């Protein structure tokens, strides 16, 4: 057989033609993104009707037709987190170079699990890890691995912490044969990943100590110290403390320096969940806010949050990367992945849960070079300024109440004037009204924000990690929020 005929191959001429056309289509989409609705208003049923209900095709469809129709389908029926009025959750507007990087990475298609399978891709990921460590202000000797996002970055660190601090027999005997319960500590505002980790990895949710926060919503260090001492007295085995560098509801950064000192006193693993906020450590004026980061045994951060990378891109950094190898390395007989000492080569399958791994590092590596440290300082600083502007406009408006503002997250509430209901009914009504307002705004397509519960108050929450957002966008959003709030309140259907 000299040449195989099949439907999967695309000739050089056709590939170039379709590629140019797709790039042109994407370029127009990105250039016009601010004029599009932030999200589709179609229901799931309407979207299913768009796709149709036909069975799997028996015969193939030409690739150029598929790319054209699919581009239209996606552009017209997606939530556009690159839109300047998208402030929901913590998904950044993606750097265009990241889209091109993913095309390039998929074309070469290295498996960045073994060095022999991905020679230059492995080195690029190693350099990306080093640069990310430098970026946030820790020693570039930190090792690490790129993963899908915050949950996986934190899970990866959790298991490394357990291997390092649990009894050495745990690998062979498991948790059921340990005489003491392994306990982890975090503030009450810590992301839900810790609950997942405790449950999925066999510790149980009762192994978590949710430490109360102080008036500024930071972990109460005195309460942490006392809880650790109490657990030791009761025969438990404390092993992990989690500090948060930018909690997802309010953006608050824990007192990392104090947490690190506590961990050193009790020989505990110090992990920082910086999935959202740790990139702000690059800003000189905020450096003191992140004091203590260099004491962390592990750090989670997400380039697809505040480094403007396309999804998926999370990262686990570990002060001593040998802890990752101790946790994840496995060598069945069919793994012929020997390494040379020259240049410190490594196999990334020994650093995390995945064996087969895509080339996530390329889009982060390219963006770090295109933007540079100074470029990121400018972008992140501007996001923070815009968030403060949002909070200021809300504070100045008689129908809005600013609740918190930290890093690039602002929370506020719609407060109708001359509200007649009082006391408990008033609090209940305002929560109901603001919840309905969040749902209305999310469905409306003009802007997209999310919610936070702060001191039993249901709040609107905006997180700006968006290089397209301007002051004008924020001013327009305040007006949209006020108008929709007035409509809901005027309907009286919520009282």
């Amino acid at each position: 057989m000299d040449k195989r005929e099949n439907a999967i191959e695309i000739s050089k001429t056709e590939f170039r033609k379709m590629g140019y056309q797709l790039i042109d289509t994407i370029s127009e989409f990105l250039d016009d993104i601010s004029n599009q609705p932030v999200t589709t208003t179609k229901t799931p049923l309407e979207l299913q009707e768009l796709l149709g209900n036909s069975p799997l095709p028996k015969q193939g469809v030409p690739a150029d037709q598929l790319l054209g129709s699919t581009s239209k389908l996606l552009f017209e029926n997606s939530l556009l987190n690159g839109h300047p009025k998208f402030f929901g959750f913590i998904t950044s507007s993606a750097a265009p170079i990241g889209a091109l990087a993913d095309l390039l990475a998929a074309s070469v298609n290295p498996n960045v699990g073994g060095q022999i399978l991905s020679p230059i891709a492995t080195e690029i990921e190693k350099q990306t890890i080093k640069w990310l460590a430098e970026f946030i202000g820790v020693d570039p000797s930190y090792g690490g691995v790129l993963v899908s996002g915050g949950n996986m970055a934190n899970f990866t660190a959790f298991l490394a912490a357990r291997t390092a601090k649990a009894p050495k027999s745990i690998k062979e005997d498991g948790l059921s044969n340990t005489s003491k319960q392994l306990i982890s500590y975090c503030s009450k505002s810590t992301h839900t990943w810790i609950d997942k980790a405790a449950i999925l990895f066999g510790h149980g949710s009762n192994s978590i100590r949710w430490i109360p926060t102080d008036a500024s919503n930071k972990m109460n260090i005195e309460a942490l110290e006392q809880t650790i001492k109490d657990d030791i007295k009761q025969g438990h085995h404390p092993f992990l403390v989690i500090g948060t560098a930018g909690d997802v509801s309010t953006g608050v950064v824990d007192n990392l320096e104090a947490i690190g000192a506590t961990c050193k006193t009790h020989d505990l693993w110090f992990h920082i969940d910086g999935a959202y906020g740790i990139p702000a450590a690059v800003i000189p004026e905020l450096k003191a806010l992140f004091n203590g980061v260099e004491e962390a045994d592990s750090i989670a951060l997400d380039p697809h949050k505040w480094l403007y990378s396309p999804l998926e891109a999370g990262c686990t950094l570990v002060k001593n990367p040998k802890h990752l190898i101790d946790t994840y390395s496995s060598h069945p007989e069919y793994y012929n992945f020997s390494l040379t000492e020259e240049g410190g080569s490594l196999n990334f399958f020994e650093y995390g849960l995945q064996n087969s791994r895509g080339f996530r590092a390329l889009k982060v590596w390219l963006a770090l070079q295109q933007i540079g440290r100074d470029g990121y300082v400018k972008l992140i600083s501007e996001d923070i300024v815009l968030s403060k502007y949002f909070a200021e406009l809300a504070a100045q408006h008689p129908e809005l109440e600013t609740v918190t503002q930290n890093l690039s997250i602002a929370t506020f509430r719609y407060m109708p004037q001359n509200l007649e209901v009082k006391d408990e009914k008033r609090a209940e009504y305002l929560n109901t009204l603001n919840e309905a307002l969040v749902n209305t705004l999310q469905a409306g397509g003009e802007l997209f924000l999310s919610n936070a519960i702060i001191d039993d108050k249901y709040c609107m929450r905006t997180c700006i990690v968006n290089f397209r957002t301007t002051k004008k966008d924020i001013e327009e959003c305040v007006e949209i929020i006020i108008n929709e709030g007035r409509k809901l309140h005027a309907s009286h259907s919520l009282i």
Side-chain angles (χ1 to χ4, degrees), residues 98-134:
L100 297 174
D102 272 348
L103 172 61
L104 180 57
S107 299
V108 178
N109 198 34
N111 181 346
V112 200
Q115 193 275 338
I116 195 173
L117 306 176
S118 53
I120 192 61
T122 293
E123 297 306 320
I124 286 173
E125 181 157 348
K126 283 168 59 180
Q127 189 171 64
T128 303
I129 296 293
K130 176 184 175 184
W131 285 351
L132 289 172
E134 289 180 21

Side-chain angles (χ1 to χ4, degrees), residues 210-251:
W210 297 93
I211 306 301
T213 52
D214 58 23
S216 60
N217 209 36
K218 298 184 179 188
M219 184 190 290
N220 186 310
I221 304 301
E222 289 184 5
L224 171 65
E225 287 271 6
Q226 188 59 53
T227 306
I228 292 171
K229 291 175 183 176
D230 290 345
D231 279 328
I232 293 171
K233 282 181 183 177
Q234 292 171 27
H236 299 311
H237 184 155
F239 81 104
L240 167 69
V241 182
I242 301 151
T244 299
D247 87 73
V248 295
S249 292
T250 64

Side-chain angles (χ1 to χ4, degrees), residues 48-114:
Q48 290 160 26
E49 289 172 353
L50 278 178
L51 294 179
N53 198 30
S54 59
L56 175 69
K58 184 175 181 181
Q59 301 296 325
V61 179
D64 57 345
Q65 291 182 30
L66 290 171
L67 286 173
S69 61
T70 304
S71 298
K72 181 178 172 64
L73 192 68
L74 288 173
F75 295 160
E76 294 179 359
N77 300 285
S78 294
L79 182 146
L80 307 180
N81 50 44
H83 194 288
K85 290 187 175 69
F86 176 83
F87 314 115
F89 311 109
I90 312 177
T91 307
S92 67
S93 49
I97 198 170
L100 297 174
D102 272 348
L103 172 61
L104 180 57
S107 299
V108 178
N109 198 34
N111 181 346
V112 200

Side-chain angles (χ1 to χ4, degrees), residues 397 399-401 412-417 429-430 433-434 437 458-460 481-490:
H397 201 287
E399 293 171 72
L400 291 175
E401 173 192 51
F412 47 92
R413 298 200 299 165
Y414 178 68
M415 308 282 287
Q417 292 183 301
Y429 174 71
L430 287 173
L433 175 62
N434 279 276
L437 182 52
Y458 192 100
C459 302
M460 291 174 279
I481 291 166
I482 295 300
N483 290 336
E484 292 299 330
R486 286 172 180 169
K487 288 178 191 175
L488 284 171
H489 177 58

